[in-house]
Amino acid sequence: MPAQVRRLKYIQFSLGADTEQTQFECQLSNWAITNNTPDPTKLFVYCDEDNGEVFEETDPSYALDLTFFADWRENGISDYLWAHDGEDVDFTLVHNAGIEGEEVTWTGTCRIKAPTVGGEARTNEQTTVTLQIIGKPTMERTMDPSA
């Protein structure tokens, strides 16, 4: 298969319930869904079966890492995170939005954390925040070229 190279340019990102989702992609300058799930622990038992190895599975641990330009207007991303601090809300992130055969959507629930406020004088206020994802996010291909 030949190399596939695509710049990160287009996403759709929203927080909140389906009826009250707010779009925030225009404030984001960096994003990542990070898999922090630890590897299973290898245990050994006195048994020939499976070479005496048993694995203790771990719970999934994912995070949504966001860097954005602060927006303290009503319903801006900074205002939204501050107002919903500590709440669990749904998120939707569409990667490669609108690109046939490459568009994928992650959905899930994340725990909101109020952002840090402030920064260096005479610079654009940017904030980095890590939101814990509850469980494992769901990924689905949302623009299937064969459909």
Side-chain angles (χ1 to χ4, degrees):
M1 180 176 276
Q4 168 67 14
V5 178
R6 172 137 349 256
R7 290 179 186 233
L8 293 171
K9 290 170 75 175
Y10 304 110
I11 67 167
Q12 295 171 354
F13 177 67
S14 60
L15 291 170
D18 288 338
T19 57
E20 298 177 13
Q21 280 194 337
T22 306
Q23 297 292 128
F24 293 117
E25 62 268 3
C26 292
Q27 292 304 120
L28 293 178
S29 63
N30 194 331
W31 68 272
I33 294 177
T34 305
N35 182 352
N36 296 313
T37 306
D39 292 333
T41 302
K42 185 189 293 189
L43 305 171
F44 295 96
V45 296
Y46 293 104
C47 179
D48 283 338
E49 191 174 315
D50 295 326
N51 207 21
E53 296 176 350
V54 179
F55 291 92
E56 180 181 22
E57 294 301 322
T58 58
D59 293 328
S61 176
Y62 288 80
L64 188 55
D65 300 309
L66 305 174
T67 301
F68 54 89
F69 291 98
D71 184 355
W72 290 100
R73 295 174 295 175
E74 187 174 356
N75 297 319
I77 191 167
S78 305
D79 180 68
Y80 183 93
L81 295 174
W82 194 268
H84 296 279
D85 186 31
E87 295 178 19
D88 294 343
V89 302
D90 295 337
F91 75 90
T92 301
L93 193 146
V94 182
H95 181 42
N96 291 328
I99 300 174
E100 187 173 312
E102 296 182 39
E103 181 181 289
V104 290
T105 299
W106 281 271
T107 57
T109 303
C110 62
R111 170 111 356 115
I112 298 296
K113 185 174 186 176
T116 301
V117 181
E120 190 175 337
R122 297 184 185 262
T123 62
N124 293 320
E125 184 180 7
Q126 281 194 310
T127 301
T128 299
V129 68
T130 297
L131 306 178
Q132 276 190 303
I133 297 175
I134 311 301
K136 182 177 180 176
T138 301
M139 185 199 93
E140 65 179 314
R141 197 157 295 287
T142 49
M143 185 179 251
D144 188 354
S146 62

